[in-house]
Amino acid sequence: MPLPAPPPQGLAMLPPHTYAGQVVVVTGGGTGLGKAIAAEFARLGAGVAVASRKPEHRQAGVQTIEALGAKAVGVALDVRDPDAVAAMFDQVERDLGPADVLINNAAGNFPAQAVKMSPNAWRSVVDIVLNGTFFCSSEFARRALSRSAPGAILNIGATYSWTGGPGTAHSAAAKAAVTNLTQSLAVEWAPHGIRVNCLAPGKFPHDDLPEALRKVSTPEQDAARIPGGRVGLPHELAWAATYMCSPYAAYLTGHTLVLDGGNWLRRGLTMPEFIPIEEQLS
Ligand code: NAP
């Protein structure tokens, strides 16, 4: 029997209005898991800023939030550019008010063999995942400090932070750095009332997954390979995000929560036949 399914999407995990009057910035909040996270904050009363590069993504995020009756703004942002990050927070302050919560969700990922990975591909993923997370977090914290306001930052990580993994050298190394950065910033900013945590999803398929990742395996194949017997549902990841940034988690900081049905701990008495990355990607 697989792990039980969570309650259906549409129920809020926390009391209604938990985030009333609060402003939440979600980078990459117009697609996939970022959009699901943005929606759950909206359901709890937050005003949400969807910050990413593509207008059609931002528009999809804003529509989802507004359909839930919450305030939303789409802000153009490339997280690799610190000036653009500062301009994004300026616009959020003008349109919604100062940010109380930051979700560093934006990421770039495409499986590639390390020997075929161009310097540009390596730099691009490290720049989005690691540098982008740092630029957004430090700008958020500077602004919170200047108004003596508390805040919560949640980094969206990945379980290959600990294991690494073939085909993901760029992303796994960058996510490992983000897990580490979570801890440094948590200690540095706790005296100022700013919490920094990380949420590491396992397999959470969704409609916006790029073709390159969709080709790797189907949700049904994934479910059969996960100890918990099923893939994750975006809204259950989003519930965890809303808890970790909420007043109910006021003493939680520097923590990485893994939500993956036991997948990254999976080991067998005998291991399956090893398939080199060249064959897996062919
Ligand atoms: P996704 O749909 O591909 O979302 C990535 C988002 O990041 C997009 O909305 C994209 O928007 C934005 N983005 C990319 N580069 C950016 C940049 N330079 N500046 C600003 N925004 C940028 O991926 P997802 O599956 O929802 O993943 C969300 C998070 O969960 C990621 O951190 C990912 O690593 C993590 N994760 C996902 C899974 C999973 O099973 N889905 C598993 C483990 C970890 P634009 O194109 O508009 O910029």
Side-chain angles (χ1 to χ4, degrees):
M1 186 178 71
L3 289 175
Q9 186 183 20
L11 300 173
M13 177 193 156
L14 296 169
H17 314 302
T18 294
Y19 285 96
Q22 302 240 322
V23 173
V24 178
V25 172
V26 185
T27 66
T31 64
L33 303 185
K35 189 165 72 175
I37 290 170
E40 290 310 321
F41 278 102
R43 222 184 283 287
L44 292 166
V48 183
V50 174
S52 81
R53 297 163 305 172
K54 297 187 182 149
E56 66 273 23
H57 289 166
R58 299 195 297 271
Q59 198 187 357
V62 166
Q63 271 172 3
T64 300
I65 294 157
E66 287 181 341
L68 292 165
K71 271 200 209 162
V73 61
V75 189
L77 174 68
D78 188 326
V79 294
R80 295 171 285 191
D81 175 356
D83 292 336
V85 169
M88 178 274 288
F89 280 110
D90 285 344
Q91 189 183 331
V92 172
E93 284 171 15
R94 278 195 303 273
D95 293 351
L96 295 176
D100 302 286
V101 172
L102 167 68
I103 311 292
N104 285 309
N105 165 81
N109 191 17
F110 41 89
Q113 294 176 49
V115 288
K116 292 191 178 167
M117 200 179 284
S118 68
N120 194 36
W122 171 268
R123 284 199 191 100
S124 173
V125 171
V126 172
D127 223 1
I128 297 168
V129 173
L130 175 57
N131 298 344
T133 296
F134 181 72
F135 296 149
C136 291
S137 301
S138 51
E139 187 64 35
F140 173 91
R142 268 192 292 275
R143 288 169 188 243
L145 258 62
S146 74
R147 43 186 190 105
S148 301
I153 297 175
L154 184 66
N155 300 322
I156 306 302
T159 54
Y160 48 44
S161 273
W162 298 284
T163 60
T168 61
H170 45 2
S171 174
K175 291 285 190 185
V178 166
T179 308
N180 183 284
L181 181 66
T182 300
Q183 295 165 187
S184 300
L185 300 183
V187 175
E188 220 170 288
W189 295 340
H192 302 286
I194 298 172
R195 299 186 295 111
V196 188
N197 289 294
C198 183
L199 176 58
K203 289 274 185 183
F204 282 77
H206 55 75
D207 294 343
D208 299 316
L209 267 188
E211 186 57 25
L213 289 179
R214 214 182 279 269
K215 273 196 314 200
V216 173
S217 54
T218 66
E220 293 71 29
Q221 288 169 327
D222 285 337
R225 293 167 184 162
I226 292 169
R230 67 172 178 87
V231 294
L233 299 178
H235 71 271
E236 66 183 318
L237 185 85
W239 283 338
T242 57
Y243 162 69
M244 293 176 85
C245 298
S246 78
Y248 300 92
Y251 205 47
L252 182 78
T253 197
H255 183 71
T256 295
L257 176 72
V258 175
L259 205 63
D260 78 338
N263 199 36
W264 89 275
L265 300 170
R266 178 190 152 142
R267 289 287 179 281
L269 282 177
T270 58
M271 296 297 277
E273 186 187 350
F274 181 76
I275 306 171
I277 187 63
E278 295 82 341
E279 282 177 44
Q280 290 184 45
L281 292 179
S282 68

